[in-house]
């Protein structure tokens, strides 16, 4: 893998990562998950500006293949003694790959880029893997294939995510 470029445009594993706060380029983007597509089109712009998310449009040439938002976070967990431990992490807030480009290694390549980018700066990545209550779709198996472990299970049937982490 090679990583090259300025902070705003990075080339990695044949993909172009453009850092941006302008989500208008995603107007025709569709990952095929209704709630995520709705969020990307109606709410991502505000979330990026409000939460100061580091957001990238991932492209091949001029074609937008994926979107990624990440930020610093804290993962809290209790150990067997009941003591609360806090880990500083880089949190994957949003990751979506264009529907017709899924299952081609793009998501895995994005995870690899994040790992390489934060190796030495951060010891852990975290993600709240989305879980659709109606369709039962979950991103957890994808993250498991990328080396993430479940650190909290749903507390009840209406929970819409599981917390996952990966040591880097």
């Amino acid at each position: 893998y090679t990583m090259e470029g300025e902070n705003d445009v990075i080339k990695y594993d044949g993909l172009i990562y453009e850092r941006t706060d302008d989500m208008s380029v995603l107007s025709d983007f569709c990952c095929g998950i209704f709630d995520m597509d709705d969020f990307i089109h109606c709410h991502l712009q505000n979330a990026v500006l409000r939460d100061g998310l580091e957001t990238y449009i991932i492209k091949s040439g001029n074609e937008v293949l994926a979107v990624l938002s990440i930020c610093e976070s804290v993962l809290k967990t209790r150990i067997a003694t009941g003591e609360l431990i806090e880990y500083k992490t880089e949190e994957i807030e949003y990751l979506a790959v264009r529907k017709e480009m899924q299952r081609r290694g793009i998501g895995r390549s994005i995870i690899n880029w994040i790992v390489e980018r934060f190796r030495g700066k951060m010891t852990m990545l975290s993600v709240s893997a989305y879980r659709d209550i109606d369709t039962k779709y979950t991103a957890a198996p994808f993250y498991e294939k990328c080396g993430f472990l479940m650190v909290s299970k749903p507390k009840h049937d209406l929970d819409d995510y599981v917390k996952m982490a990966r040591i880097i």
Side-chain angles (χ1 to χ4, degrees), residues 4 6-7 26 29 37 57 65 76 102 105 107 135:
E4 57 186 73
E6 301 297 319
N7 282 342
L26 298 172
F29 181 89
D37 287 332
I57 305 300
L65 304 180
K76 298 177 184 180
Q102 293 172 6
T135 66

Side-chain angles (χ1 to χ4, degrees), residues 1-6 9-17 109-110 112-117:
Y1 297 107
T2 61
M3 197 179 316
E4 57 186 73
E6 301 297 319
V9 178
I10 298 164
K11 292 181 182 176
Y12 178 82
D13 199 21
L15 300 175
I16 301 165
Y17 291 71
S109 180
I110 293 168
N112 290 340
W113 175 73
I114 297 168
V115 168
E116 291 302 315
R117 176 148 183 255

Side-chain angles (χ1 to χ4, degrees), residues 33 37 48 68 76 104 121 132 142 145 150 166:
I33 301 161
D37 287 332
V48 166
L68 165 71
K76 298 177 184 180
R104 296 183 184 194
K121 297 178 192 169
D132 187 279
F142 163 74
K145 290 176 188 171
M150 194 176 306
R166 174 180 169 172

Side-chain angles (χ1 to χ4, degrees), residues 30-49:
C30 177
C31 71
I33 301 161
F34 177 81
D35 287 345
M36 182 64 112
D37 287 332
D38 181 63
F39 178 82
I40 288 168
H41 296 134
C42 301
H43 306 287
L44 181 58
Q45 181 68 65
N46 288 336
V48 166
L49 298 175

Side-chain angles (χ1 to χ4, degrees), residues 2-167:
T2 61
M3 197 179 316
E4 57 186 73
E6 301 297 319
N7 282 342
D8 290 341
V9 178
I10 298 164
K11 292 181 182 176
Y12 178 82
D13 199 21
L15 300 175
I16 301 165
Y17 291 71
E18 286 184 11
R19 184 165 181 190
T20 184
D21 291 336
D22 179 9
M23 300 300 111
S24 65
V25 297
L26 298 172
S27 61
D28 68 343
F29 181 89
C30 177
C31 71
I33 301 161
F34 177 81
D35 287 345
M36 182 64 112
D37 287 332
D38 181 63
F39 178 82
I40 288 168
H41 296 134
C42 301
H43 306 287
L44 181 58
Q45 181 68 65
N46 288 336
V48 166
L49 298 175
R50 178 189 66 235
D51 300 335
L53 301 175
E54 188 175 317
T55 302
Y56 293 86
I57 305 300
I58 296 96
K59 298 169 34 172
S60 175
N62 290 323
E63 182 182 16
V64 175
L65 304 180
V67 59
L68 165 71
S69 290
I70 53 180
C71 67
E72 286 187 11
S73 186
V74 174
L75 178 65
K76 298 177 184 180
T77 188
R78 290 202 184 276
I79 58 175
T81 63
E83 181 184 358
L84 183 66
I85 304 289
E86 294 184 358
Y87 299 95
K88 188 175 175 185
T89 73
E90 197 65 31
E91 172 96 13
I92 299 169
E93 288 289 327
Y94 309 105
L95 172 58
V97 175
R98 184 178 293 277
K99 183 174 178 150
E100 57 273 14
M101 300 306 290
Q102 293 172 6
R103 302 197 181 280
R104 296 183 184 194
I106 294 167
R108 184 178 300 270
S109 180
I110 293 168
I111 297 295
N112 290 340
W113 175 73
I114 297 168
V115 168
E116 291 302 315
R117 176 148 183 255
F118 292 103
R119 189 181 308 277
K121 297 178 192 169
M122 202 66 68
T123 59
M124 190 176 300
L125 296 177
S126 61
V127 64
S128 296
Y130 175 75
R131 188 173 151 254
D132 187 279
I133 304 303
D134 298 321
T135 66
K136 306 299 183 221
Y137 165 82
T138 178
F142 163 74
Y143 287 108
E144 286 173 351
K145 290 176 188 171
C146 292
F148 286 76
L149 300 172
M150 194 176 306
V151 293
S152 72
K153 295 182 179 181
K155 293 174 180 58
H156 52 74
D157 287 343
L158 296 178
D159 269 354
D160 63 354
Y161 71 91
V162 295
K163 196 68 164 175
M164 302 183 78
R166 174 180 169 172
I167 296 174

